[in-house]
Amino acid sequence: MIDKETLVDWDKRYLWHPFTQMQDWLAEEPVIIERGDGCYLIDIAGNRYIDGIASMWTNVHGHNHPELNTALKTQIDKIAHTTLLGYSNIPAIQLAQKLVELTPPGLNKVFYSDNGSTAVEVALKIAYQYWQHKKEPSRKLFLHFDNAYHGDTIGAMSVGGIDSFHTTFDSLLFKGIRVSAPEAYHSHHAVDTSHNKSAVKTRWLNAVERALSEYEGKIAGIILEPLIQGAGGMLIAPKGFLKELAALAKRKETLLIVDEVMTGLGRTGKMWACEHEDVTPDLLCTAKGLAGGYLPLAATLTTDEIYNAFLGAYRDLKTFFHGHTFTGNPLACAVALENIAIFERENLLSKLQSTIKHFRNRLQEFYTLPHVGDVRICGFAAGVELMKNSDPHTPYPLEEKVGIRVCKEALTRGAMLRPLVNTIVLMPPLQISTSELDALLDIAYTSIDVVTSDPSH
């Protein structure tokens, strides 16, 4: 086995980590994960960490799950990969049928890709080409929102709304309509009255309607993360916003695209976030938890109406010319099928409700910390926003790296967390036990308290 010193040396010499300032990384001792056990990650020194972010929001049932392992091993004894371009395979067919069964009614066609960004790219290209086939070629714009994150490929960035991620690439991005409503998302903190939330929702919907009217006949679709914006800071939409937005899109005859990459597969307490408000979008993107955190897999689902617009004679060139080598990979699809089967066998969504209630109750304790400005919760996802001063709310400056320091402190106490600047994300595997969840929340609470109480820590 390669020794730790060699691994650290090779990592720093050869690896470029995502969303990581490598100058800082080179000065630090990296945590190198060797294996997993349920909700724990275990590094090469044998240290155990509660996986408080579900390995970037992907893990559902825990690591090294015996039934998921068996599904993977069984499939690999048959075939690891075969192309879906002009041919098919059994797990891809079975999973497509299952996804149509699981998603809101009317989403009857499944197009596979490999991650959240590509699922969004597929949705954007389908929507764009759909209007070409419908003889409305002027519909070329997409309406999207401040603080939105839909991925890191060019199309996905074009409909994003996080300047620190996207501004560098502005000259590469296509034009869209960005709706700015910085006060649109609110927490579930007691000070946010129903009246205030209703007013915020109305202002935001009015902003969308103005944009739709100004660009009438030019908008191909509206894209959003339903209920909660993830990378933008775990920001929660006012109740009813999604449903009214869907009605507005229908009234204005534009397509609605929901990015369920983070929110799907039970994260909000239902299989899909859009189910909370009985919304069937025109296109739905899923990835992350789809294969239970095992393999890259994504899918974009759409309606018969959209699919049928692509049908025609070969010479008509109505084909959707998009795909990638590992589309519908049998290994990933086999694991995804077992992932869904575990949901059903264990009645996980029903069992999850008590865990979510406990999660929400415990998180209220974080308001006792003087530098916690807000706690935003949606189902089994939360963000704890840290403030230098809570009254008035004054954010920590970037150079203090408070979010990063809190996560480093949590590591020393046995939990892996992830900061979104100064918002600490809490999003463990859905199958975490109550005692493990309590341990995770205790570590997060203590780490925030230690770091924010002592600026020199």
Side-chain angles (χ1 to χ4, degrees):
M1 182 177 173
I2 301 172
D3 60 80
K4 179 182 177 181
E5 290 74 19
T6 301
L7 287 169
V8 171
D9 177 56
W10 286 358
D11 180 291
K12 293 187 176 184
R13 190 176 299 190
Y14 304 121
L15 260 182
W16 192 341
H17 290 261
F19 285 92
T20 301
Q21 176 42 253
M22 294 306 295
Q23 181 170 291
D24 292 342
W25 178 268
L26 294 174
E28 298 167 356
E29 185 73 10
V31 173
I32 302 173
I33 300 302
E34 181 179 29
R35 54 199 172 92
D37 177 21
C39 292
Y40 288 87
L41 299 164
I42 303 161
D43 70 15
I44 55 178
N47 299 309
R48 293 169 66 88
Y49 309 93
I50 302 172
D51 189 352
I53 52 170
S55 291
M56 277 317 297
W57 316 348
T58 64
N59 195 279
V60 177
H61 306 296
H63 299 277
N64 204 14
H65 192 285
E67 289 157 347
L68 294 175
N69 289 359
T70 297
L72 184 60
K73 292 172 184 176
T74 299
Q75 180 58 43
I76 207 166
D77 284 338
K78 297 175 182 177
I79 190 167
H81 182 62
T82 177
T83 181
L84 218 62
L85 280 71
Y87 302 91
S88 198
N89 70 68
I90 295 170
I93 295 168
Q94 291 175 317
L95 180 59
Q97 183 277 328
K98 198 66 185 175
L99 285 171
V100 168
E101 180 184 296
L102 282 179
T103 47
L107 296 172
N108 296 329
K109 301 297 178 183
V110 177
F111 194 99
Y112 289 118
S113 56
D114 61 335
N115 62 60
S117 298
T118 56
V120 168
E121 294 280 346
V122 168
L124 297 174
K125 288 177 71 174
I126 286 175
Y128 184 95
Q129 189 173 341
Y130 167 77
W131 290 114
Q132 311 304 305
H133 296 327
K134 297 294 285 185
K135 308 302 182 187
E136 294 194 47
S138 60
R139 288 186 178 264
K140 296 180 178 180
L141 300 175
F142 289 91
L143 189 148
H144 55 104
F145 296 94
D146 263 357
N147 301 307
Y149 177 79
H150 297 291
D152 303 318
T153 49
I154 296 298
M157 286 194 297
S158 297
V159 293
I162 303 175
D163 290 340
S164 56
F165 292 174
H166 304 140
T167 300
T168 301
F169 306 102
D170 271 353
S171 63
L172 296 177
L173 308 182
F174 61 69
K175 181 185 176 184
I177 304 160
R178 179 166 158 180
V179 174
S180 300
E183 86 285 26
Y185 283 94
H186 277 243
S187 74
H188 291 289
H189 195 17
V191 298
D192 293 322
T193 66
S194 296
H195 175 75
N196 288 340
K197 289 178 181 177
S198 178
V200 165
K201 179 180 69 174
T202 299
R203 287 197 298 273
W204 206 19
L205 287 166
N206 287 344
V208 173
E209 187 160 19
R210 283 195 299 272
L212 291 173
S213 296
E214 182 179 350
Y215 295 93
E216 191 161 359
K218 297 180 180 179
I219 298 177
I222 301 170
I223 183 168
L224 81 162
E225 300 156 89
L227 301 194
I228 178 170
Q229 290 182 317
M234 308 302 286
L235 306 175
I236 313 295
K239 187 176 181 181
F241 173 75
L242 176 63
K243 190 172 187 67
E244 293 188 42
L245 180 70
L248 181 56
K250 188 174 178 112
R251 194 163 67 249
K252 293 290 188 176
E253 298 183 326
T254 191
L255 301 180
L256 179 67
I257 304 166
V258 296
D259 177 353
E260 293 252 18
V261 170
M262 183 271 282
T263 57
L265 280 299
R267 182 55 63 180
T268 65
K270 290 184 181 287
M271 189 60 80
W272 310 102
C274 56
E275 290 181 294
H276 286 275
E277 298 191 0
D278 291 324
V279 167
T280 295
D282 298 289
L283 295 121
L284 181 150
C285 306
T286 178
K288 287 198 182 291
L290 181 56
Y294 269 57
L295 289 164
L297 180 66
T300 303
L301 286 91
T302 192
T303 62
D304 289 328
E305 156 67 23
I306 292 174
Y307 171 84
N308 289 339
F310 288 75
L311 302 181
Y314 184 73
R315 66 178 180 275
D316 295 337
L317 296 179
K318 285 189 170 184
T319 300
F320 183 48
F321 291 109
H322 184 97
H324 73 99
T325 304
F326 285 91
T327 294
N329 172 252
L331 292 176
C333 290
V335 175
L337 280 163
E338 184 60 26
N339 173 32
I340 293 167
I342 295 169
F343 266 98
E344 295 173 342
R345 281 199 304 271
E346 301 188 8
N347 199 16
L348 180 56
L349 290 177
S350 178
K351 290 197 306 185
L352 188 58
Q353 303 313 309
S354 60
T355 310
I356 289 172
K357 183 177 180 180
H358 184 74
F359 186 55
R360 180 178 293 277
N361 289 340
R362 282 293 319 270
L363 280 166
Q364 300 310 308
E365 299 169 14
F366 284 65
Y367 279 117
T368 64
L369 293 170
H371 293 280
V372 169
D374 200 5
V375 180
R376 297 184 283 270
I377 313 161
C378 180
F380 208 38
V384 180
E385 186 175 9
L386 308 180
M387 292 282 182
K388 193 172 184 70
N389 294 300
S390 56
D391 189 19
H393 280 198
T394 308
Y396 281 101
L398 282 175
E399 58 268 22
E400 293 193 26
K401 298 195 285 190
V402 169
I404 291 171
R405 286 162 46 212
V406 167
C407 294
K408 287 182 178 177
E409 179 67 23
L411 269 180
T412 69
R413 298 173 181 274
M416 186 174 287
L417 303 176
R418 177 77 182 168
L420 296 168
V421 189
N422 294 320
T423 296
I424 306 302
V425 175
L426 291 161
M427 200 183 296
L430 301 187
Q431 293 272 23
I432 194 170
S433 69
T434 302
S435 60
E436 290 167 335
L437 180 58
D438 281 336
L440 171 65
L441 294 172
D442 288 345
I443 291 169
Y445 183 99
T446 302
S447 299
I448 291 169
D449 189 29
V450 166
V451 170
T452 57
S453 298
D454 180 4
S456 65
H457 186 83

